[in-house]
Amino acid sequence: MGRLIVISNRVSPPGDEHGASVGGLAMALSAALREHNGVWFGWSGRTTETFTGHLSFQRGGGVTVATVDLEEQDRQEYYNGYANRTLWPLLHYRIDLSAYERSFDEGYSRVNARFADTVLPLLEPDDFIWVHDYHLIPLGRELRRRGVGARIGFFLHIPWPPRRLFTTLPNHAELVQALFDYDLVGFQTQDALSAFQEYVTFEAGGTIGPDGEVTAFGRTIRLGAFPIGLDTEAFVAAAEGEAAHAWRQRMETSLAGRRMIVGVDRLDYSKGLEERFLAYEEFLTRTPEAHEQVFLLQIATPSRDEVPAYQEIRARLDGVSGRINGAFATADWVPIRYVNRSYRRDELAGIYRAAAIGLVTPLRDGMNLVAKEYVAAQDPADPGVLILSQFAGAAEQMTEALIVNPFSREDMSDAIRRGLAMEKAERLRRWETLMDGVKRFDVTAWRDAFVGALLAAPLREA
Ligand code: ADQ
């Protein structure tokens, strides 16, 4: 079997795959790369005045990472532009925020071609290639144009929207057609997969075969739903380690007998943070006996802060959290602790464990790993309650959570009340089922399922 080549917008630095700050995805991919003697290629995150295509290699932990710098214009048009101003909102159903400009599209095509040119000399004939996420949809097509006949798979980490929304994108057909240059296209959920199939059937006159293969644009490719999971074992170990323990104790001291509800998200409009704050306000209004007894810790790490919609949501959250605190706080109680920084994974594990409720209420999310982390971090003898949006991909699997509609303040407020009052027997019963799934469908199972399906796909004829 040949080597595995992983290609994603950004790569994780090698050598620290056991470090507590590295995400599960990086760990799982690093493990696969070690097994298959592979290379992980992506953008360095740096820009230079003119594109050189120069590859930088780093080796560590048995993994080779190769990166390339881009130009400033690439960063603006490809990364901040087409990826994060056009596709991200559109794929999260936010056509109101999706900005399309031809220059973004040109930058997107240019960078995908640059990725293909740069990675090409690294490829060997029996390699197989795994491309990640919405930044790189046309990469398969660019590689085929350069004569690559290897198996190439694509995995989309974020949702795929209904056809009526997707067709608002100028050149939508071209983007979908580009996906037909892969041998396997994977989605997080059945819901995303069905939406894609619907597009192919109705817009491209395609047909769906009995084994998940789909034919359109003169090609047949495989499709599948591959829900991503956690590196559960490592996360549980982190939750039981020293840093987690220290953070749990620190939080318990600061609780002063109160109960904590926790939210942990990138600061992104798709995460439903404003709606969450307003639902919590509704809960406070309707539940005076909870005042001074409960607080919400919302950790929201700023991201993509060059994109206007992110600046706007950040300002709104500052305003809403400040207003709610002003209205309800007392001399020794703040109802919302709103924190704009990030924590290491083992610290987060300790924070999750100290929380009576994990509040995960995105308006739309590919999967949402925070929901799984909250479950994995709980004390098996006395677990907390997960409240989960019906619009997170994770809701397809985590049906024992309290499932809520994040667009309804009353629904979320009721769930908070119910979660705080839930008897231990019910908490245990729900948690055991949830934890079972988090263990069984972990990141290794995800990776093996995708790689297995890719290797089982027929090699295309030249
Ligand atoms: P994200 O949108 O980033 O990922 P998510 O799946 O929740 O969303 O992953 C976030 C990760 O970042 C988690 O591991 C979390 O612990 C960490 N994180 C978030 N805020 C943090 C903070 N303040 N400090 C430290 N760590 C923080 C995209 C898709 C998701 C999909 C993943 C994986 O949008 O739907 O689940 O990819 O495929």
Side-chain angles (χ1 to χ4, degrees):
M1 196 197 303
R3 301 175 313 163
L4 166 64
I5 309 295
V6 172
I7 309 179
S8 55
N9 172 54
R10 295 296 302 276
V11 301
S12 207
D16 54 2
E17 71 275 10
H18 299 298
S21 62
V22 173
L25 176 64
M27 282 206 212
L29 292 178
S30 300
L33 287 164
R34 273 195 296 279
E35 219 167 279
H36 296 282
N37 194 23
V39 179
W40 190 349
F41 170 71
W43 176 32
S44 63
R46 287 186 295 271
T47 55
T48 48
E49 201 156 314
T50 49
F51 181 75
T52 63
H54 175 76
L55 273 170
S56 300
F57 290 95
Q58 276 178 286
R59 222 185 132 70
V63 176
T64 303
V65 161
T67 55
V68 67
D69 298 341
L70 293 176
E71 283 175 17
E72 184 54 30
Q73 194 183 350
D74 294 337
R75 196 162 69 96
Q76 292 310 340
E77 294 173 353
Y78 150 80
Y79 181 71
N80 287 331
Y82 202 80
N84 286 329
R85 288 186 65 188
T86 310
L87 286 182
W88 176 274
L90 173 69
L91 270 56
H92 286 86
Y93 298 39
R94 292 299 300 272
I95 55 174
D96 58 319
L97 294 177
S98 182
Y100 177 85
E101 288 177 24
R102 284 190 189 147
S103 64
F104 294 171
D105 207 345
E106 282 157 19
Y108 187 65
S109 302
R110 181 177 65 245
V111 169
N112 273 273
R114 285 180 165 174
F115 262 54
D117 285 334
T118 312
V119 81
L120 199 63
L122 294 181
L123 301 181
E124 292 170 12
D126 55 353
D127 288 346
F128 62 103
I129 303 168
W130 188 359
V131 177
H132 287 263
D133 230 358
Y134 60 102
H135 313 86
L136 300 176
I137 291 173
L139 184 60
R141 183 185 58 200
E142 295 299 331
L143 290 170
R144 299 293 183 212
R145 282 180 181 162
R146 287 159 180 78
V148 175
R151 289 190 178 87
I152 317 181
F154 176 83
F155 183 76
L156 184 68
H157 288 259
I158 67 176
W160 187 274
R163 152 175 86 96
R164 295 279 190 211
L165 296 183
F166 191 71
T167 50
T168 60
L169 178 72
N171 303 341
H172 54 87
E174 200 185 312
L175 203 66
V176 172
Q177 183 168 7
L179 285 169
F180 279 77
D181 274 316
Y182 292 102
D183 300 296
L184 171 67
V185 174
F187 299 92
Q188 297 271 27
T189 59
Q190 202 53 50
D191 185 64
L193 172 60
S194 308
F196 182 76
Q197 286 174 331
E198 201 196 53
Y199 178 95
V200 172
T201 318
F202 287 95
E203 296 291 329
T207 53
I208 316 267
D211 299 322
E213 73 275 19
V214 54
T215 304
F217 306 104
R219 299 218 77 102
T220 299
I221 62 167
R222 311 273 145 158
L223 302 179
F226 303 91
I228 197 168
L230 279 191
D231 49 332
T232 309
E233 223 174 282
F235 200 83
V236 169
E240 278 156 10
E242 239 168 74
H245 189 68
W247 263 95
R248 186 184 180 187
Q249 293 220 306
R250 196 167 154 176
M251 287 315 301
E252 270 164 10
T253 309
S254 103
L255 292 181
R258 296 180 171 121
R259 303 180 73 202
M260 175 166 74
I261 302 169
V262 75
V264 175
D265 306 78
R266 267 187 316 97
L267 207 171
D268 193 301
Y269 49 80
S270 67
K271 303 294 182 184
L273 295 171
E274 185 175 356
E275 291 75 5
R276 188 180 307 170
F277 285 174
L278 295 174
Y280 176 66
E281 178 183 36
E282 172 90 17
F283 163 77
L284 292 176
T285 306
R286 295 205 287 162
T287 324
E289 63 277 19
H291 293 195
E292 309 204 20
Q293 303 300 313
V294 174
F295 67 90
L296 168 64
L297 169 65
Q298 177 61 56
I299 300 176
T301 324
S303 76
R304 305 176 192 167
D305 47 15
E306 292 178 4
V307 176
Y310 288 76
Q311 297 159 1
E312 280 153 29
I313 182 69
R314 186 168 184 180
R316 292 181 69 85
L317 292 173
D318 286 347
V320 174
S321 61
R323 183 181 60 71
I324 295 171
N325 279 338
F328 291 92
T330 58
D332 65 349
W333 171 62
V334 182
I336 304 180
R337 297 187 189 176
Y338 179 47
V339 182
N340 289 139
R341 52 157 288 180
S342 78
Y343 288 88
R344 287 158 43 117
R345 300 182 84 224
D346 50 0
E347 297 174 334
L348 272 186
I351 296 172
Y352 288 137
R353 196 158 176 150
I357 291 184
L359 195 52
V360 182
T361 57
L363 304 182
R364 199 57 67 176
D365 217 328
M367 176 55 56
N368 195 299
L369 291 175
V370 170
K372 298 186 175 184
E373 290 169 0
Y374 177 76
V375 167
Q378 294 309 298
D379 177 353
D382 189 17
V385 175
L386 174 66
I387 297 179
L388 179 63
S389 161
Q390 67 188 94
F391 304 119
E396 272 189 14
Q397 297 173 301
M398 304 182 88
T399 51
E400 291 300 309
L402 294 183
I403 302 291
V404 292
N405 181 340
F407 296 98
S408 164
R409 290 176 204 176
E410 287 153 330
D411 198 11
M412 283 195 276
S413 159
D414 288 350
I416 292 172
R417 234 191 311 196
R418 189 169 161 208
L420 289 171
M422 195 182 285
E423 298 289 341
K424 191 168 173 181
E426 184 177 355
R427 281 190 279 124
L428 277 169
R429 184 177 55 71
R430 288 176 180 271
W431 177 79
E432 276 160 14
T433 310
L434 287 169
M435 187 61 185
D436 214 43
V438 170
K439 279 190 189 148
R440 200 133 53 94
F441 303 108
D442 70 354
V443 76
T444 309
W446 165 77
R447 179 199 77 197
D448 290 347
F450 188 91
V451 168
L454 178 57
L455 292 176
L459 259 183
R460 62 176 50 212
E461 287 137 37

